[in-house]
Amino acid sequence: MKKIYNIAVIRGDGIGPEIIDEAIKVLDSVCAKEDFELRYEDYLMGGVAYDFKGTPLPDETIEGCLKSDAVLFGAIGGEKWDTLPREFRPESGLLKLRKSLGLFANLRPTAVFDELLDASTLKPEVLKGVDLFVVRELTGGIYFGEPRGNDGFKGFNTMVYTKPEIERIARVAFESAMKRRREVCSVDKANVLEVSQLWRDTVNEIAKEYPEVKLSHMYVDNAAMQLVRAPKQFDVIVTGNLFGDILSDEAAMLTGSIGMLPSASLDENAKGMYEPC
C-alpha cells in the first residue's frame, strides 16, 4: 500500500511562495518515482499572517504543523513589517514556531559544486572541495533567554544554556560526523563567557561517547575568519543559536548565495521543518 505523508506548507513572505512552488514540483517528481504520496496543506506565518490575522503565527498554524508529518517552509520578513513592535514582527513568529515544535537542531550543509565555483567572491582554489555541515542549536541561547528588555536607555538580553540542551545538540553533531569525515569543531567564546565555558566542558564530556570522532574547539571570532580563509578544514561545526545564525549565513556565501543553502530543523524524534534552496 502506498505510504501517505501530510505536509504543512508555509509559503511565507517575499520569495517564499516562489521557492515553495518549485520545491513542490521536485517533491512530486520524487513521489512519482519512489511510489509514495505527499498531501499538502497551507498555513500562514510571517508578515502575511500579520496582515490577515493580526499575528505572525496564528494558533491554527502551530496546530497544523504539530499534526503533520513534516513542515515545508519558504521565507518570512521584509521591510514592510520592520517597524512593527517586536512581538508582531515576522521573525517572532518563526522563533515561536521553532520553540512550539521543539525544533532544537538546525542542520545546514554547505557544499561547493565545481559548476558554481565562480559564483562566490572567494578564489576558486579556496572553495574547490568545500563540504561542511553546520549544526546550530535552535531553541536556546540569547534569543530565548530571560530577562530581556529595552526601556529606551538600556537594552539587555540574557544568554542561557543548560547542560541537557548542550548535550543533545552535541550528540546530533557527533552522530552527523560519524556519517561524514568524523571531525567536529565546537565553536564558542569560552575565553570571556561563562555560558560558553559550560558549552565547551559539556561538549568535551559528550565527545567521550564518540572516540572515533576528532574534536576541536575554536573561538567564534577565529571561526568566522577561518571560514573564509580555509573552509576546507571544517567537517562538522557545532555551535549555539546566535553564533550559528551568523556562521551559517557566512558559510552560505562560500556557495555564492544564501539561496544555495537548504536546511532542516529537527526535534528529538527527527521530525522537522525543511527549507529548500
Side-chain angles (χ1 to χ4, degrees):
M1 185 176 179
K2 182 184 291 188
K3 289 186 176 180
I4 299 173
Y5 301 94
N6 296 308
I7 309 299
V9 177
I10 299 175
R11 298 173 186 271
D13 309 316
I15 199 174
E18 180 181 348
I19 294 170
I20 293 301
D21 285 345
E22 299 307 310
I24 287 176
K25 292 177 185 177
V26 175
L27 291 173
D28 287 344
S29 295
V30 175
C31 288
K33 183 176 181 179
E34 300 296 335
D35 195 33
F36 65 92
E37 181 181 348
L38 298 180
R39 293 180 178 173
Y40 308 103
E41 187 162 353
D42 282 274
Y43 296 94
L44 295 176
M45 183 173 73
V48 65
Y50 176 80
D51 288 346
F52 282 96
K53 300 285 187 176
T55 173
L57 182 62
D59 290 341
E60 55 262 36
T61 297
I62 299 175
E63 295 165 4
C65 291
L66 285 170
K67 70 181 183 182
S68 299
D69 294 302
V71 181
L72 184 63
F73 167 56
I76 58 167
E79 293 182 4
K80 176 182 178 181
W81 304 283
D82 283 349
T83 57
L84 290 173
R86 187 167 304 279
E87 64 270 23
F88 295 122
R89 292 182 190 176
E91 295 79 9
S92 295
L94 180 57
L95 290 176
K96 184 178 178 181
L97 184 65
R98 289 169 177 168
K99 198 72 169 181
S100 299
L101 301 183
L103 305 178
F104 76 94
N106 181 243
L107 312 179
R108 297 188 80 176
T110 301
V112 178
F113 299 101
D114 288 346
E115 294 81 359
L116 297 176
L117 280 173
D118 293 330
S120 175
T121 54
L122 297 182
K123 295 177 180 178
E125 57 266 32
V126 174
L127 298 172
K128 187 175 178 63
V130 166
D131 180 11
L132 60 91
F133 198 70
V134 179
V135 177
R136 168 190 170 193
E137 202 289 325
L138 205 57
T139 57
I142 200 166
Y143 292 168
F144 294 95
E146 297 291 344
R148 61 193 300 162
N150 175 359
D151 61 10
F153 175 76
K154 179 177 67 176
F156 54 95
N157 293 87
T158 307
M159 182 181 286
V160 177
Y161 269 115
T162 65
K163 193 177 183 70
E165 287 177 321
I166 303 168
E167 289 173 337
R168 67 180 182 177
I169 196 66
R171 287 195 175 94
V172 171
F174 282 103
E175 291 290 341
S176 299
M178 289 292 291
K179 302 172 185 175
R180 294 173 50 89
R181 301 196 303 273
R182 301 193 176 191
E183 296 180 8
V184 169
C185 178
S186 178
V187 174
D188 59 41
K189 195 62 177 168
N191 54 337
V192 294
L193 298 176
E194 285 80 1
V195 64
S196 278
Q197 188 61 58
L198 176 65
W199 179 282
R200 182 172 293 212
D201 293 343
T202 305
V203 172
N204 280 332
E205 291 177 14
I206 299 300
K208 296 174 184 177
E209 302 174 14
Y210 299 88
E212 308 95 329
V213 178
K214 178 183 177 182
L215 171 65
S216 62
H217 298 276
M218 194 174 288
Y219 296 139
V220 64
D221 42 358
N222 186 31
M225 180 183 70
Q226 294 296 333
L227 264 177
V228 293
R229 189 193 73 84
K232 283 181 278 191
Q233 69 183 281
F234 296 107
D235 180 19
V236 174
I237 295 173
V238 62
T239 191
N241 207 343
L242 175 62
F243 299 157
D245 193 356
I246 297 167
L247 292 179
S248 60
D249 283 0
E250 182 188 10
M253 292 314 298
L254 300 174
T255 70
S257 168
I258 195 170
M260 288 299 298
L261 250 67
S263 76
S265 301
L266 306 180
D267 66 11
E268 291 185 333
N269 299 310
K271 174 183 173 180
M273 178 169 70
Y274 299 87
E275 299 176 52
C277 18

